Short mmCIF file of all heavy atoms in Angstrom, two decimals:
data_model
loop_
_atom_site.label_atom_id
_atom_site.label_comp_id
_atom_site.label_asym_id
_atom_site.label_seq_id
_atom_site.Cartn_x
_atom_site.Cartn_y
_atom_site.Cartn_z
N MET B 1 -5.81 -6.53 -1.52
CA MET B 1 -5.21 -7.45 -0.58
C MET B 1 -5.23 -8.86 -1.20
O MET B 1 -6.15 -9.22 -1.89
CB MET B 1 -5.97 -7.46 0.76
CG MET B 1 -5.80 -6.19 1.54
SD MET B 1 -6.53 -6.37 3.27
CE MET B 1 -8.22 -6.51 2.89
N PRO B 2 -4.21 -9.61 -0.94
CA PRO B 2 -4.06 -10.96 -1.51
C PRO B 2 -5.33 -11.82 -1.25
O PRO B 2 -5.76 -12.55 -2.10
CB PRO B 2 -2.82 -11.55 -0.91
CG PRO B 2 -1.98 -10.31 -0.63
CD PRO B 2 -2.97 -9.27 -0.29
N SER B 3 -5.78 -11.75 -0.03
CA SER B 3 -6.97 -12.58 0.37
C SER B 3 -8.15 -12.27 -0.49
O SER B 3 -8.90 -13.19 -0.86
CB SER B 3 -7.28 -12.45 1.84
OG SER B 3 -7.55 -11.13 2.21
N GLN B 4 -8.39 -11.00 -0.76
CA GLN B 4 -9.48 -10.57 -1.51
C GLN B 4 -9.35 -10.99 -3.00
O GLN B 4 -10.24 -11.40 -3.69
CB GLN B 4 -9.77 -9.10 -1.46
CG GLN B 4 -11.02 -8.56 -2.09
CD GLN B 4 -12.26 -9.22 -1.41
OE1 GLN B 4 -12.36 -9.22 -0.17
NE2 GLN B 4 -13.20 -9.65 -2.19
N ILE B 5 -8.08 -10.84 -3.50
CA ILE B 5 -7.82 -11.31 -4.93
C ILE B 5 -8.13 -12.77 -5.00
O ILE B 5 -8.77 -13.18 -5.98
CB ILE B 5 -6.39 -10.99 -5.29
CG1 ILE B 5 -6.09 -9.49 -5.29
CG2 ILE B 5 -6.03 -11.65 -6.66
CD1 ILE B 5 -4.61 -9.17 -5.39
N ALA B 6 -7.66 -13.53 -4.06
CA ALA B 6 -7.84 -15.01 -4.10
C ALA B 6 -9.34 -15.31 -4.04
O ALA B 6 -9.82 -16.16 -4.79
CB ALA B 6 -7.17 -15.61 -2.92
N LYS B 7 -10.10 -14.71 -3.20
CA LYS B 7 -11.52 -14.88 -3.08
C LYS B 7 -12.25 -14.53 -4.41
O LYS B 7 -13.03 -15.33 -4.92
CB LYS B 7 -12.07 -14.07 -1.93
CG LYS B 7 -13.60 -14.29 -1.69
CD LYS B 7 -14.06 -13.52 -0.50
CE LYS B 7 -15.61 -13.62 -0.31
NZ LYS B 7 -16.10 -12.77 0.73
N ASP B 8 -11.91 -13.35 -4.97
CA ASP B 8 -12.63 -12.92 -6.17
C ASP B 8 -12.27 -13.76 -7.35
O ASP B 8 -13.11 -14.04 -8.26
CB ASP B 8 -12.22 -11.50 -6.48
CG ASP B 8 -12.76 -10.43 -5.47
OD1 ASP B 8 -13.69 -10.84 -4.70
OD2 ASP B 8 -12.32 -9.31 -5.43
N ALA B 9 -11.04 -14.25 -7.49
CA ALA B 9 -10.58 -15.10 -8.58
C ALA B 9 -10.82 -16.59 -8.29
O ALA B 9 -10.51 -17.34 -9.22
CB ALA B 9 -9.12 -14.79 -8.85
N GLU B 10 -11.25 -16.93 -7.12
CA GLU B 10 -11.48 -18.34 -6.76
C GLU B 10 -10.23 -19.11 -6.96
O GLU B 10 -10.23 -20.17 -7.58
CB GLU B 10 -12.62 -18.91 -7.55
CG GLU B 10 -13.99 -18.26 -7.19
CD GLU B 10 -15.13 -18.80 -7.95
OE1 GLU B 10 -14.94 -19.72 -8.80
OE2 GLU B 10 -16.27 -18.37 -7.73
N ILE B 11 -9.07 -18.56 -6.44
CA ILE B 11 -7.77 -19.17 -6.49
C ILE B 11 -7.23 -19.28 -5.09
O ILE B 11 -7.54 -18.44 -4.26
CB ILE B 11 -6.79 -18.32 -7.35
CG1 ILE B 11 -7.38 -18.26 -8.81
CG2 ILE B 11 -5.41 -18.89 -7.37
CD1 ILE B 11 -6.58 -17.27 -9.65
N PHE B 12 -6.41 -20.36 -4.80
CA PHE B 12 -5.82 -20.44 -3.51
C PHE B 12 -4.97 -19.23 -3.20
O PHE B 12 -4.22 -18.76 -4.07
CB PHE B 12 -5.00 -21.77 -3.45
CG PHE B 12 -5.83 -22.97 -3.44
CD1 PHE B 12 -5.76 -23.89 -4.48
CD2 PHE B 12 -6.70 -23.27 -2.34
CE1 PHE B 12 -6.54 -25.06 -4.54
CE2 PHE B 12 -7.49 -24.44 -2.40
CZ PHE B 12 -7.39 -25.29 -3.46
N GLN B 13 -5.00 -18.78 -1.96
CA GLN B 13 -4.25 -17.66 -1.51
C GLN B 13 -2.74 -17.86 -1.67
O GLN B 13 -2.01 -16.91 -2.05
CB GLN B 13 -4.64 -17.26 -0.14
CG GLN B 13 -3.89 -15.90 0.30
CD GLN B 13 -4.44 -15.35 1.60
OE1 GLN B 13 -5.52 -15.76 2.04
NE2 GLN B 13 -3.67 -14.47 2.17
N ASN B 14 -2.23 -19.10 -1.41
CA ASN B 14 -0.77 -19.26 -1.60
C ASN B 14 -0.31 -19.08 -3.03
O ASN B 14 0.78 -18.61 -3.26
CB ASN B 14 -0.41 -20.64 -1.05
CG ASN B 14 -0.96 -21.77 -1.75
OD1 ASN B 14 -1.97 -21.65 -2.41
ND2 ASN B 14 -0.32 -22.95 -1.75
N HIS B 15 -1.18 -19.34 -3.98
CA HIS B 15 -0.86 -19.07 -5.40
C HIS B 15 -0.79 -17.59 -5.63
O HIS B 15 0.14 -17.13 -6.31
CB HIS B 15 -1.86 -19.75 -6.34
CG HIS B 15 -1.60 -19.57 -7.77
ND1 HIS B 15 -0.50 -20.13 -8.35
CD2 HIS B 15 -2.21 -18.78 -8.69
CE1 HIS B 15 -0.45 -19.74 -9.63
NE2 HIS B 15 -1.49 -18.92 -9.83
N ILE B 16 -1.71 -16.86 -5.11
CA ILE B 16 -1.70 -15.38 -5.25
C ILE B 16 -0.37 -14.81 -4.63
O ILE B 16 0.26 -13.96 -5.20
CB ILE B 16 -2.92 -14.79 -4.56
CG1 ILE B 16 -4.26 -15.28 -5.27
CG2 ILE B 16 -2.85 -13.28 -4.58
CD1 ILE B 16 -4.37 -14.88 -6.72
N SER B 17 -0.08 -15.32 -3.51
CA SER B 17 1.16 -14.84 -2.78
C SER B 17 2.41 -15.07 -3.65
O SER B 17 3.28 -14.21 -3.70
CB SER B 17 1.34 -15.49 -1.39
OG SER B 17 0.27 -15.18 -0.54
N ASN B 18 2.41 -16.26 -4.29
CA ASN B 18 3.63 -16.53 -5.15
C ASN B 18 3.66 -15.61 -6.40
O ASN B 18 4.74 -15.14 -6.73
CB ASN B 18 3.53 -17.99 -5.63
CG ASN B 18 3.88 -19.00 -4.55
OD1 ASN B 18 4.56 -18.69 -3.51
ND2 ASN B 18 3.35 -20.20 -4.65
N VAL B 19 2.51 -15.38 -6.94
CA VAL B 19 2.47 -14.46 -8.10
C VAL B 19 2.89 -13.09 -7.69
O VAL B 19 3.68 -12.36 -8.36
CB VAL B 19 1.06 -14.46 -8.71
CG1 VAL B 19 0.95 -13.39 -9.83
CG2 VAL B 19 0.76 -15.82 -9.38
N LEU B 20 2.33 -12.59 -6.52
CA LEU B 20 2.69 -11.24 -6.04
C LEU B 20 4.22 -11.20 -5.84
O LEU B 20 4.84 -10.11 -6.14
CB LEU B 20 1.94 -10.90 -4.81
CG LEU B 20 0.42 -10.65 -4.99
CD1 LEU B 20 -0.23 -10.53 -3.63
CD2 LEU B 20 0.19 -9.44 -5.81
N ARG B 21 4.83 -12.21 -5.28
CA ARG B 21 6.19 -12.20 -4.99
C ARG B 21 6.98 -12.05 -6.31
O ARG B 21 7.90 -11.29 -6.47
CB ARG B 21 6.64 -13.41 -4.28
CG ARG B 21 8.13 -13.54 -4.08
CD ARG B 21 8.61 -14.82 -3.33
NE ARG B 21 8.00 -16.05 -3.89
CZ ARG B 21 8.28 -16.65 -5.01
NH1 ARG B 21 9.37 -16.19 -5.74
NH2 ARG B 21 7.72 -17.73 -5.42
N GLN B 22 6.57 -12.81 -7.34
CA GLN B 22 7.22 -12.73 -8.70
C GLN B 22 7.05 -11.33 -9.29
O GLN B 22 7.96 -10.80 -9.93
CB GLN B 22 6.66 -13.80 -9.60
CG GLN B 22 7.04 -15.18 -9.19
CD GLN B 22 6.39 -16.30 -10.07
OE1 GLN B 22 5.74 -15.98 -11.04
NE2 GLN B 22 6.53 -17.52 -9.62
N LEU B 23 5.89 -10.79 -9.15
CA LEU B 23 5.68 -9.40 -9.73
C LEU B 23 6.50 -8.41 -9.03
O LEU B 23 7.03 -7.45 -9.61
CB LEU B 23 4.19 -9.03 -9.59
CG LEU B 23 3.23 -9.84 -10.50
CD1 LEU B 23 1.79 -9.52 -10.11
CD2 LEU B 23 3.44 -9.54 -11.96
N ARG B 24 6.71 -8.54 -7.72
CA ARG B 24 7.58 -7.62 -6.91
C ARG B 24 9.07 -7.78 -7.43
O ARG B 24 9.75 -6.79 -7.60
CB ARG B 24 7.50 -7.91 -5.39
CG ARG B 24 6.33 -7.30 -4.80
CD ARG B 24 6.43 -7.28 -3.25
NE ARG B 24 6.91 -8.49 -2.68
CZ ARG B 24 6.23 -9.60 -2.25
NH1 ARG B 24 4.89 -9.56 -2.32
NH2 ARG B 24 6.78 -10.65 -1.76
N GLU B 25 9.48 -9.03 -7.60
CA GLU B 25 10.84 -9.29 -8.08
C GLU B 25 11.12 -8.64 -9.43
O GLU B 25 12.24 -8.24 -9.68
CB GLU B 25 11.08 -10.82 -8.13
CG GLU B 25 11.21 -11.48 -6.77
CD GLU B 25 11.27 -12.97 -6.84
OE1 GLU B 25 11.22 -13.58 -7.96
OE2 GLU B 25 11.41 -13.64 -5.77
N HIS B 26 10.05 -8.57 -10.20
CA HIS B 26 10.20 -7.92 -11.59
C HIS B 26 9.86 -6.49 -11.51
O HIS B 26 9.77 -5.81 -12.61
CB HIS B 26 9.33 -8.65 -12.59
CG HIS B 26 9.88 -10.01 -12.97
ND1 HIS B 26 9.49 -11.17 -12.30
CD2 HIS B 26 10.79 -10.42 -13.84
CE1 HIS B 26 10.16 -12.19 -12.80
NE2 HIS B 26 10.93 -11.79 -13.74
N GLU B 27 9.70 -5.94 -10.34
CA GLU B 27 9.39 -4.46 -10.11
C GLU B 27 8.13 -4.00 -10.87
O GLU B 27 8.10 -2.87 -11.32
CB GLU B 27 10.61 -3.66 -10.46
CG GLU B 27 11.86 -4.01 -9.65
CD GLU B 27 13.10 -3.25 -10.10
OE1 GLU B 27 13.09 -2.61 -11.12
OE2 GLU B 27 14.05 -3.30 -9.31
N LEU B 28 7.12 -4.91 -10.94
CA LEU B 28 5.88 -4.55 -11.55
C LEU B 28 4.87 -4.04 -10.58
O LEU B 28 3.94 -3.34 -10.98
CB LEU B 28 5.31 -5.74 -12.31
CG LEU B 28 6.29 -6.21 -13.50
CD1 LEU B 28 5.74 -7.49 -14.10
CD2 LEU B 28 6.38 -5.15 -14.54
N ILE B 29 5.04 -4.40 -9.29
CA ILE B 29 4.11 -4.02 -8.28
C ILE B 29 4.97 -3.61 -7.03
O ILE B 29 6.16 -4.00 -6.93
CB ILE B 29 3.03 -5.03 -7.85
CG1 ILE B 29 3.75 -6.24 -7.25
CG2 ILE B 29 2.14 -5.36 -8.95
CD1 ILE B 29 2.80 -7.21 -6.57
N GLU B 30 4.32 -2.84 -6.12
CA GLU B 30 4.99 -2.53 -4.83
C GLU B 30 3.98 -2.54 -3.77
O GLU B 30 2.81 -2.36 -4.00
CB GLU B 30 5.65 -1.15 -4.94
CG GLU B 30 4.71 0.00 -5.14
CD GLU B 30 5.40 1.29 -5.34
OE1 GLU B 30 6.61 1.44 -5.03
OE2 GLU B 30 4.70 2.27 -5.76
N CYS B 31 4.44 -2.92 -2.58
CA CYS B 31 3.60 -3.02 -1.44
C CYS B 31 3.55 -1.61 -0.81
O CYS B 31 4.64 -1.06 -0.57
CB CYS B 31 4.15 -4.01 -0.35
SG CYS B 31 3.14 -4.14 1.08
N ILE B 32 2.33 -1.08 -0.53
CA ILE B 32 2.28 0.28 0.00
C ILE B 32 2.16 0.34 1.51
O ILE B 32 2.26 1.41 2.07
CB ILE B 32 1.06 1.08 -0.66
CG1 ILE B 32 -0.23 0.41 -0.30
CG2 ILE B 32 1.23 1.24 -2.13
CD1 ILE B 32 -1.47 1.16 -0.81
N ASN B 33 2.10 -0.82 2.14
CA ASN B 33 2.13 -0.83 3.58
C ASN B 33 2.86 -2.09 4.06
O ASN B 33 2.38 -2.98 4.75
CB ASN B 33 0.69 -0.89 4.14
CG ASN B 33 -0.11 -2.04 3.74
OD1 ASN B 33 0.20 -2.72 2.76
ND2 ASN B 33 -1.22 -2.31 4.45
N PRO B 34 4.24 -2.18 3.77
CA PRO B 34 5.02 -3.31 4.16
C PRO B 34 5.20 -3.58 5.58
O PRO B 34 5.57 -4.67 6.02
CB PRO B 34 6.38 -3.06 3.46
CG PRO B 34 6.40 -1.54 3.36
CD PRO B 34 4.96 -1.10 3.16
N GLU B 35 4.86 -2.60 6.47
CA GLU B 35 5.06 -2.75 7.91
C GLU B 35 4.02 -3.68 8.48
O GLU B 35 4.26 -4.17 9.61
CB GLU B 35 5.07 -1.38 8.58
CG GLU B 35 3.75 -0.64 8.59
CD GLU B 35 3.44 0.06 7.25
OE1 GLU B 35 4.26 0.12 6.35
OE2 GLU B 35 2.28 0.50 7.09
N VAL B 36 2.92 -3.93 7.80
CA VAL B 36 1.87 -4.78 8.35
C VAL B 36 2.13 -6.26 7.98
O VAL B 36 2.69 -6.51 6.93
CB VAL B 36 0.46 -4.35 7.92
CG1 VAL B 36 0.14 -2.97 8.41
CG2 VAL B 36 0.27 -4.54 6.45
N GLY B 37 1.84 -7.11 8.83
CA GLY B 37 2.01 -8.61 8.50
C GLY B 37 0.87 -9.14 7.76
O GLY B 37 1.00 -10.03 7.01
N LYS B 38 -0.30 -8.60 8.02
CA LYS B 38 -1.50 -9.14 7.38
C LYS B 38 -2.34 -7.98 6.76
O LYS B 38 -2.35 -6.95 7.32
CB LYS B 38 -2.39 -9.84 8.48
CG LYS B 38 -3.26 -10.88 7.95
CD LYS B 38 -3.86 -11.65 9.07
CE LYS B 38 -4.64 -12.84 8.52
NZ LYS B 38 -5.26 -13.62 9.60
N GLY B 39 -2.84 -8.15 5.62
CA GLY B 39 -3.66 -7.09 4.97
C GLY B 39 -2.83 -6.19 4.18
O GLY B 39 -3.12 -4.99 4.02
N ARG B 40 -1.76 -6.67 3.58
CA ARG B 40 -0.91 -5.76 2.72
C ARG B 40 -1.67 -5.38 1.50
O ARG B 40 -2.46 -6.11 0.89
CB ARG B 40 0.38 -6.57 2.32
CG ARG B 40 1.32 -6.74 3.58
CD ARG B 40 2.61 -7.22 3.12
NE ARG B 40 3.51 -7.36 4.24
CZ ARG B 40 4.22 -8.41 4.51
NH1 ARG B 40 4.26 -9.39 3.64
NH2 ARG B 40 4.99 -8.38 5.59
N LEU B 41 -1.33 -4.12 1.07
CA LEU B 41 -1.95 -3.57 -0.10
C LEU B 41 -0.89 -3.39 -1.14
O LEU B 41 0.23 -2.97 -0.84
CB LEU B 41 -2.65 -2.21 0.22
CG LEU B 41 -3.71 -2.28 1.29
CD1 LEU B 41 -4.20 -0.90 1.63
CD2 LEU B 41 -4.90 -3.14 0.76
N TYR B 42 -1.24 -3.56 -2.41
CA TYR B 42 -0.28 -3.48 -3.53
C TYR B 42 -0.74 -2.54 -4.59
O TYR B 42 -1.98 -2.32 -4.73
CB TYR B 42 0.00 -4.87 -4.17
CG TYR B 42 0.58 -5.84 -3.24
CD1 TYR B 42 -0.16 -6.60 -2.34
CD2 TYR B 42 1.97 -5.94 -3.14
CE1 TYR B 42 0.41 -7.47 -1.49
CE2 TYR B 42 2.58 -6.79 -2.29
CZ TYR B 42 1.83 -7.60 -1.38
OH TYR B 42 2.44 -8.50 -0.59
N ARG B 43 0.16 -1.94 -5.36
CA ARG B 43 -0.17 -1.11 -6.48
C ARG B 43 0.85 -1.37 -7.60
O ARG B 43 1.99 -1.78 -7.32
CB ARG B 43 -0.22 0.37 -6.14
CG ARG B 43 1.09 0.92 -5.73
CD ARG B 43 1.00 2.46 -5.50
NE ARG B 43 2.21 2.91 -4.87
CZ ARG B 43 2.28 3.86 -4.01
NH1 ARG B 43 1.17 4.46 -3.62
NH2 ARG B 43 3.39 4.22 -3.40
N LEU B 44 0.47 -0.94 -8.81
CA LEU B 44 1.41 -1.15 -9.94
C LEU B 44 2.44 -0.04 -9.85
O LEU B 44 2.18 1.08 -9.49
CB LEU B 44 0.63 -0.95 -11.26
CG LEU B 44 -0.25 -2.08 -11.68
CD1 LEU B 44 -1.02 -1.69 -12.87
CD2 LEU B 44 0.53 -3.34 -11.94
N THR B 45 3.66 -0.45 -10.20
CA THR B 45 4.76 0.58 -10.35
C THR B 45 4.60 1.19 -11.75
O THR B 45 3.74 0.81 -12.56
CB THR B 45 6.15 -0.03 -10.29
OG1 THR B 45 6.24 -1.01 -11.36
CG2 THR B 45 6.35 -0.78 -9.00
N ASP B 46 5.39 2.24 -12.06
CA ASP B 46 5.41 2.80 -13.36
C ASP B 46 5.66 1.71 -14.43
O ASP B 46 5.03 1.66 -15.47
CB ASP B 46 6.42 3.94 -13.51
CG ASP B 46 6.00 5.12 -12.70
OD1 ASP B 46 4.81 5.34 -12.37
OD2 ASP B 46 6.94 5.98 -12.39
N LYS B 47 6.58 0.86 -14.15
CA LYS B 47 6.92 -0.22 -15.03
C LYS B 47 5.73 -1.17 -15.26
O LYS B 47 5.36 -1.58 -16.30
CB LYS B 47 8.16 -1.02 -14.53
CG LYS B 47 8.61 -2.18 -15.35
CD LYS B 47 9.85 -2.80 -14.74
CE LYS B 47 10.30 -3.99 -15.51
NZ LYS B 47 11.50 -4.62 -14.84
N GLY B 48 5.04 -1.47 -14.14
CA GLY B 48 3.88 -2.24 -14.19
C GLY B 48 2.76 -1.64 -14.94
O GLY B 48 2.00 -2.41 -15.64
N GLU B 49 2.59 -0.37 -14.81
CA GLU B 49 1.57 0.34 -15.62
C GLU B 49 1.88 0.29 -17.12
O GLU B 49 0.94 -0.04 -17.93
CB GLU B 49 1.56 1.89 -15.25
CG GLU B 49 1.00 2.19 -13.93
CD GLU B 49 -0.52 2.15 -13.89
OE1 GLU B 49 -1.16 2.11 -14.98
OE2 GLU B 49 -1.02 2.16 -12.77
N LYS B 50 3.09 0.39 -17.46
CA LYS B 50 3.41 0.31 -18.91
C LYS B 50 3.24 -1.10 -19.47
O LYS B 50 2.70 -1.28 -20.51
CB LYS B 50 4.92 0.64 -19.15
CG LYS B 50 5.19 2.15 -18.92
CD LYS B 50 6.67 2.39 -19.06
CE LYS B 50 6.91 3.89 -18.78
NZ LYS B 50 8.31 4.24 -18.72
N VAL B 51 3.50 -2.13 -18.71
CA VAL B 51 3.29 -3.56 -19.06
C VAL B 51 1.80 -3.75 -19.23
O VAL B 51 1.30 -4.35 -20.19
CB VAL B 51 3.90 -4.47 -18.06
CG1 VAL B 51 3.47 -5.91 -18.38
CG2 VAL B 51 5.42 -4.39 -18.17
N SER B 52 0.99 -3.25 -18.26
CA SER B 52 -0.45 -3.50 -18.27
C SER B 52 -1.13 -2.82 -19.47
O SER B 52 -2.12 -3.36 -19.98
CB SER B 52 -1.11 -3.09 -16.94
OG SER B 52 -1.12 -1.65 -16.86
N GLU B 53 -0.60 -1.76 -19.90
CA GLU B 53 -1.12 -1.04 -21.10
C GLU B 53 -1.03 -1.94 -22.36
O GLU B 53 -1.78 -1.75 -23.25
CB GLU B 53 -0.46 0.25 -21.32
CG GLU B 53 -0.81 1.26 -20.22
CD GLU B 53 0.04 2.57 -20.31
OE1 GLU B 53 0.85 2.62 -21.26
OE2 GLU B 53 -0.18 3.43 -19.50
N ASN B 54 0.00 -2.79 -22.37
CA ASN B 54 0.26 -3.67 -23.50
C ASN B 54 -0.45 -5.00 -23.51
O ASN B 54 -0.30 -5.78 -24.44
CB ASN B 54 1.72 -3.89 -23.66
CG ASN B 54 2.44 -2.56 -24.06
OD1 ASN B 54 1.98 -1.85 -24.94
ND2 ASN B 54 3.57 -2.28 -23.47
N LEU B 55 -1.22 -5.28 -22.39
CA LEU B 55 -1.93 -6.55 -22.27
C LEU B 55 -3.19 -6.50 -22.97
O LEU B 55 -3.93 -5.59 -23.11
CB LEU B 55 -2.07 -6.94 -20.81
CG LEU B 55 -0.75 -7.18 -20.05
CD1 LEU B 55 -1.06 -7.49 -18.62
CD2 LEU B 55 -0.01 -8.36 -20.68
#
C-alpha cells in the first residue's frame, strides 16, 4: 500500500502516489483492487518484472 511504502521509505505519501501514477502510465505496475478508495494494492506487470530484473 502507498502509505506503508511511504512510512518504510520515510518519504511523503504524495510523492509515492506520484511515482505510482507514473509507473502505471508506463505499464510497469497495476492496481489489484482499484475499486477501493483507500488501501490500494499494487503489483508489477510482466513489463515491470523485466525492467526490475535489469536494475
Side-chain angles (χ1 to χ4, degrees):
M1 289 188 293
S3 59
Q4 189 62 46
I5 295 169
K7 182 179 176 184
D8 291 347
E10 298 180 357
I11 298 172
F12 291 113
Q13 187 170 341
N14 65 335
H15 180 70
I16 297 298
S17 296
N18 289 336
V19 171
L20 289 171
R21 180 182 44 78
Q22 291 175 8
L23 291 171
R24 281 192 319 267
E25 288 173 358
H26 288 92
E27 299 176 348
L28 298 173
I29 63 170
E30 62 185 347
C31 181
I32 60 174
N33 61 341
E35 67 281 352
V36 299
K38 203 171 190 181
R40 289 189 178 134
L41 302 173
Y42 295 88
R43 68 176 166 212
L44 289 172
T45 61
D46 290 339
K47 182 179 177 181
E49 288 281 349
K50 289 177 185 173
V51 169
S52 72
E53 290 172 2
N54 293 315
L55 295 178

